[in-house]
């Protein structure tokens, strides 16, 4: 574990604390409390960095328990090179890193009160109680356990286990499992060392009623069989790049975030869009969003940009060393683990790590679905969705009573503790024709999308601004409070900070897509162009001071966008603080019940400009003028609003 530990945590911001007071904390199973389902959100094997994962699992009950487990391999594949070139944190692929998902099933039998452990690379090769030379209490053993390894890697993915009854198709309702994982990394070189970071497996408790015998576990929702996944994940963390000094040692901190979807479907990867609300120690709020296909493993500062120093998760952009992030999945709940690494400046090759389980807040009302095994197929001994000749032979030997039924429970189709000729024939048919195709979950996962209303055609050649307004610090778009004599919407705010300017647009008659640039290092005009009639903050003339974390915004004499250097500088100075939330609209930074979405249904893109103390609006009326350019160079018409800050 890292020697630069948790005691460096700074005090929480008042704004973040007030936000948490408004969110009901859901008493989800603690990682230390026994549960019926275990999820290991992050399993990694990488020979290049000497990484492997030690998986530990304990049966806390006084009974023998059967487990159905499976790895999900999310290691991306490189379109033009070896797969290891796409390993998270060391991407060298010159083409595209394509997402994928492969399921590796396992069967595990744990005796009463038994702890088990194995490395992900090699699997459980030697059974502690093999049933032949070593036998446990009351004749129990680990016989017929088959926990395969994932190989030498590279591998990045998950591991999930479901406790089963003596009926191999009915999950157990008793909460009896606990587990943990340790990410181990061994480095050679002049000074060899080993680094280890440990987290607790996520436990999901079964409810009082026994789960049914279908292929799906309902986690929360109207037909809940298990506790729901959290609606919101909460993580206290250092911002990336933060320098920490202990005695005479200074280390730079980087946090790798692991997001794994709660919902698991048999048909492939689950798509999800995750919204991030980030608070620094002063209560200033930033936000972004990203797509998650099954699993996301990325440094915090690479979630919203490819340049870490411009990320809202970079310590110089946030303005503080520590912060708090709330994460909400729109289409699935989340299992969240963070890997915090400290790199010694005096020995850059030496990195010490710590693993952190995020907290869960509230519970998902829609619920999640876990497809815990392939469809039932007679003769499928290892539950991998196929039947082999070797498995048929196992069934025949059970029928001849040379093997016990436990050797291949699925060979006994009617669960009468024997294998008949008809059941062997069913196994042969499965070899010839395959097992049944997976079916869809019995309940919908998301609210159906409403039918969009008709949108009038564009009236200008360049992009049209579909919405220009203000949102609160918690992403609620505001309605204007009044209209001035020129017909401009007026937004009245008690303070000049803690808000977001929101600009949305769609393509014009040219049909060219809306441009996405918000800042130009060369001083040229970006695609998003916003001016203010009065200086913001100190109105300093430095463009993008401190990479957009400090300094004010100058006013300009005219809001007619004159083609001069001073206007271009003012546009870039404000644009340096903006980000585009992209498309589809579900990636938006504004809330639209029940999820996130653009304010206008006709918007194709949304730009968000957080307003912090350094560039706060002054007391009184400030006119904000905006226009947008498309990728063909066409500029759309100007729209204006008034931001009125009370004294």
């Amino acid at each position: 574990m890292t020697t630069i530990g948790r005691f460096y945590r700074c005090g929480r911001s008042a704004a973040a604390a007030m936000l948490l007071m408004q969110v009901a904390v859901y008493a989800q199973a603690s990682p230390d409390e026994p549960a019926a389902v275990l999820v290991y959100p992050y399993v990694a094997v990488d020979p290049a960095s000497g990484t492997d994962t030690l998986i530990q699992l304990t049966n806390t009950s006084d009974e023998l328990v059967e487990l159905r487990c499976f790895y999900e391999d999310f290691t991306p594949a490189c379109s033009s090179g070896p797969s290891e070139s796409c390993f998270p944190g060391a991407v060298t692929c010159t083409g595209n890193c394509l997402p994928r998902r492969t399921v590796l099933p396992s069967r595990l039998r744990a005796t009463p009160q038994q702890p088990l452990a194995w490395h992900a690379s090699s699997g459980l090769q030697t059974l502690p109680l093999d049933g032949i030379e070593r036998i446990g209490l009351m004749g129990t053993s680990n016989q017929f356990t088959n926990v395969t390894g994932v190989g030498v890697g590279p591998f990045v993915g998950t591991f999930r286990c479901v406790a089963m009854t003596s009926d191999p198709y009915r999950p157990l309702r008793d909460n009896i499992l606990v587990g943990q994982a340790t990410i181990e990394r061994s480095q050679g070189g002049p000074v060899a060392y080993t680094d280890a970071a440990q987290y607790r497996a996520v436990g999901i408790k079964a409810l009082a009623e026994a789960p049914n015998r279908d292929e799906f576990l309902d986690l929360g929702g109207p037909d809940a069989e298990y506790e729901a996944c959290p609606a919101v994940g909460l993580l206290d963390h250092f911002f990336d790049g933060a320098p920490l000094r202990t005695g005479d040692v200074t280390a730079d901190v980087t946090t790798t975030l692991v997001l794994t979807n709660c919902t698991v479907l048999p048909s492939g990867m689950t798509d999800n869009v995750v919204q991030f609300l980030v608070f620094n120690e002063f209560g200033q709020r930033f936000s972004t969003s990203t797509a998650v296909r099954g699993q996301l493993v990325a440094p915090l500062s690479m979630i919203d940009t490819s340049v870490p120093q411009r990320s809202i998760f970079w310590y110089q952009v946030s303005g503080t060393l520590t912060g708090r992030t709330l994460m909400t999945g729109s289409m699935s709940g989340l299992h969240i683990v963070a890997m915090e690494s400290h790199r010694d400046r005096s020995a850059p090759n030496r990195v010490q790590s710590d693993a952190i389980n995020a907290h869960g807040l509230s519970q998902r009302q829609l619920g999640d679905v876990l497809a815990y095994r392939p469809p039932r197929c007679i003769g499928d001994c290892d539950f991998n969705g196929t039947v082999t000749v070797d498995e048929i032979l196992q069934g025949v030997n059970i029928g001849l009573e040379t093997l016990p039924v436990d050797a291949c429970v699925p060979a006994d189709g009617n669960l009468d503790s024997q294998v008949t000729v008809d059941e062997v024939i069913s196994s042969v048919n499965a070899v010839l024709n395959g097992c049944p195709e997976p079916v869809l979950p019995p309940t919908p996962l998301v609210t159906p999308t409403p039918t969009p209303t008709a949108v009038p055609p564009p009236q200008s050649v360049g992009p049209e601004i579909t919405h220009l307004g203000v949102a609160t610090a918690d992403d609620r778009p505001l309605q204007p409070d009044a209209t001035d004599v020129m017909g401009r919407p007026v937004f009245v705010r008690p303070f000049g900070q803690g808000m977001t300017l929101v600009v949305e647009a769609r393509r014009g008659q040219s049909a060219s897509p809306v441009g996405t640039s918000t800042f130009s290092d060369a001083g040229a005009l970006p695609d998003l162009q916003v001016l203010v009639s009065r200086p913001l903050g100190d109105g300093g003339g430095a463009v993008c001071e401190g990479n957009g974390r400090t300094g004010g915004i100058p006013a300009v004499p005219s809001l007619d966008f004159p083609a001069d250097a001073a206007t271009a500088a003012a546009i870039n100075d404000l644009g340096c603080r903006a980000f585009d939330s992209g498309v589809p609209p579900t990636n938006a930074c504004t809330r639209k019940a029940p999820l996130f979405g653009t304010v206008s249904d006709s918007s194709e893109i949304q730009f968000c400009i957080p307003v912090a103390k350094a560039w706060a609006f002054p007391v009184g009326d400030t006119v904000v003028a905006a226009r947008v350019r498309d990728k063909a160079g066409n500029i759309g018409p100007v729209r204006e609003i008034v931001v009125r800050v009370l004294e």
Side-chain angles (χ1 to χ4, degrees):
M1 303 296 284
T2 177
T3 57
I4 304 177
R6 303 262 61 79
F7 55 85
Y8 278 99
R9 292 287 181 225
C10 297
R12 276 62 170 171
S13 68
M18 291 179 64
L19 175 64
L20 289 178
M21 291 171 62
Q22 300 172 14
V23 181
V25 178
Y26 176 53
Q28 190 193 24
S30 163
D32 296 308
E33 294 178 1
V37 177
L38 287 184
V39 180
Y40 299 78
Y42 184 48
V43 178
V45 178
D46 180 25
S49 60
T51 300
D52 204 346
T53 303
L54 177 67
I55 297 175
Q56 295 169 271
L57 181 150
T58 300
N59 169 23
T60 65
S61 76
D62 295 326
E63 304 291 336
L64 181 77
V65 62
E66 290 273 356
L67 303 174
R68 295 287 174 260
C69 305
F70 59 94
Y71 291 99
E72 291 177 288
D73 183 357
F74 288 115
T75 311
C78 182
S79 62
S80 59
S83 293
E84 55 264 28
S85 62
C86 281
F87 194 82
V91 177
T92 58
C93 172
T94 57
N96 296 319
C97 290
L98 306 176
R100 67 175 184 178
R101 175 181 181 259
T102 303
V103 176
L104 307 173
S106 294
R107 177 186 178 188
L108 193 153
R109 172 178 287 186
T111 62
Q113 300 291 333
Q114 185 183 35
L116 294 169
W118 64 93
H119 281 96
S121 60
S122 56
L124 189 57
Q125 295 184 351
T126 302
L127 301 182
L129 300 173
D130 59 10
I132 301 173
E133 297 181 355
R134 299 178 298 278
I135 300 175
L137 295 174
M138 298 176 290
T140 57
S141 74
N142 306 119
Q143 194 175 20
F144 310 122
T145 288
N146 180 24
V147 179
T148 58
V150 301
V152 296
F155 173 94
V156 60
T158 71
F159 185 68
R160 308 184 197 233
C161 280
V162 180
M164 306 296 295
T165 65
S166 57
D167 174 350
Y169 302 101
R170 185 184 293 278
L172 187 69
R173 67 178 179 181
D174 296 333
N175 298 303
I176 57 172
L177 303 176
V178 295
Q180 59 190 19
T182 305
I183 310 298
E184 302 174 340
R185 192 163 57 88
S186 300
Q187 288 292 312
V191 181
Y193 75 99
T194 299
D195 176 48
Q198 188 176 88
Y199 69 86
R200 293 288 187 178
V202 177
I204 304 175
K205 286 187 173 182
L207 302 180
E209 294 298 325
N212 58 33
R213 299 176 80 242
D214 65 16
E215 302 163 24
F216 306 100
L217 308 182
D218 291 311
L219 314 181
D223 302 314
E225 299 169 314
Y226 293 80
E227 287 184 342
C229 291
V232 180
L234 166 66
L235 181 67
D236 290 312
H237 58 87
F238 290 103
F239 287 109
D240 277 5
L244 298 178
R245 186 172 181 82
T246 307
D248 58 352
V249 175
T250 300
D252 297 314
V253 181
T254 300
T255 299
T256 296
L257 185 66
V258 180
L259 303 179
T260 299
N261 289 332
C262 293
T263 287
V264 177
L265 299 178
S267 55
M269 288 183 291
T270 304
D271 290 317
N272 198 4
V273 175
V274 178
Q275 183 78 18
F276 298 83
L277 295 179
V278 186
F279 296 86
N280 66 12
E281 294 178 50
F282 301 123
Q284 296 170 323
R285 183 202 60 84
F286 307 86
S287 67
T288 188
S289 61
T290 191
V292 175
R293 298 209 69 198
Q295 184 185 58
L296 172 72
V297 181
L300 284 175
S301 55
M302 296 291 284
I303 289 175
D304 59 328
T305 177
S306 59
V307 183
Q309 290 77 12
R310 293 196 63 188
S311 169
I312 61 176
F313 293 101
W314 191 257
Y315 82 103
Q316 290 178 318
V317 175
S318 68
T320 61
L321 295 182
T322 67
R324 167 171 288 185
T325 296
L326 300 175
M327 292 156 278
T328 305
S330 61
M331 289 168 274
S332 169
L334 295 168
H335 302 305
I336 305 171
V337 172
M339 303 293 297
E340 184 178 283
S341 299
H342 299 246
R343 185 178 298 275
D344 187 344
R345 287 184 176 179
S346 62
N349 292 329
R350 185 178 181 86
V351 179
Q352 295 180 299
S353 303
D354 191 11
I356 308 164
N357 288 86
H359 301 286
L361 306 177
S362 185
Q363 61 177 314
R364 276 178 51 82
Q365 298 301 313
L366 294 176
D368 290 279
V369 172
L370 170 59
Y372 73 99
R373 62 172 176 82
R376 178 172 177 170
C377 189
I378 295 178
D380 180 13
C381 300
D382 56 7
F383 289 84
N384 69 351
T386 60
V387 178
T388 65
V389 174
D390 288 342
E391 289 172 321
I392 291 177
L393 293 178
Q394 282 184 281
V396 171
N397 286 324
I398 294 172
L400 296 175
E401 298 184 352
T402 58
L403 278 180
V405 176
D406 285 349
C408 181
V409 176
D412 177 15
N414 59 5
L415 301 176
D416 63 355
S417 299
Q418 60 182 343
V419 174
T420 64
V421 173
D422 290 342
E423 289 166 334
V424 173
I425 292 174
S426 295
S427 299
V428 173
N429 288 333
V431 172
L432 299 175
N433 304 316
C435 290
E437 289 294 323
V439 297
L440 294 176
T443 55
L445 298 179
V446 297
T447 304
T449 303
T451 303
T453 56
V455 177
Q459 302 299 310
S460 61
V461 176
E464 291 186 345
I465 292 181
T466 51
H467 175 78
L468 176 61
V470 174
T472 62
D474 59 350
D475 297 323
R476 291 183 298 105
L478 297 173
Q479 294 296 322
D481 298 280
T483 303
D484 69 2
V485 294
M486 297 182 64
R488 296 176 297 205
V490 178
F491 294 85
V492 180
R493 305 301 299 148
F495 306 104
Q497 65 189 73
M499 69 180 94
T500 301
L501 290 177
V502 181
V503 183
E504 297 178 3
R506 64 168 180 165
R507 68 189 71 193
Q509 293 176 355
S510 71
S512 177
V514 181
T516 59
S517 67
T518 64
F519 174 75
S520 169
D521 290 311
L525 288 175
D527 296 320
L528 173 67
Q529 302 173 19
V530 181
L531 294 172
V532 289
S533 64
R534 302 172 68 205
L536 306 186
D538 63 10
V543 177
C544 199
E545 186 176 353
N547 285 324
R549 75 181 189 276
T550 60
I553 313 294
V556 292
S558 171
L559 297 180
D560 293 331
F561 293 87
D564 58 67
T567 299
I571 289 173
N572 276 299
D573 199 10
L574 188 55
C576 176
R577 293 149 172 89
F579 60 91
D580 72 276
S581 60
V583 291
T586 49
N587 290 0
C589 73
T590 49
R591 295 181 181 272
K592 191 171 186 179
L595 306 172
F596 285 83
T598 55
V599 180
S600 171
D601 292 334
S602 63
S603 300
E604 296 178 356
I605 193 170
Q606 182 189 73
F607 299 93
C608 302
I609 307 175
V611 181
K613 183 177 181 180
W615 56 95
F617 279 82
V619 173
D621 286 4
T622 302
V623 180
V624 179
R627 67 181 188 180
V628 183
R629 184 176 62 196
D630 64 25
K631 293 187 177 181
N634 301 302
I635 296 177
V638 177
R639 282 189 60 174
E640 296 181 352
I641 62 171
V642 177
V643 176
R644 178 175 298 164
V645 178
L646 303 177
E647 295 185 12

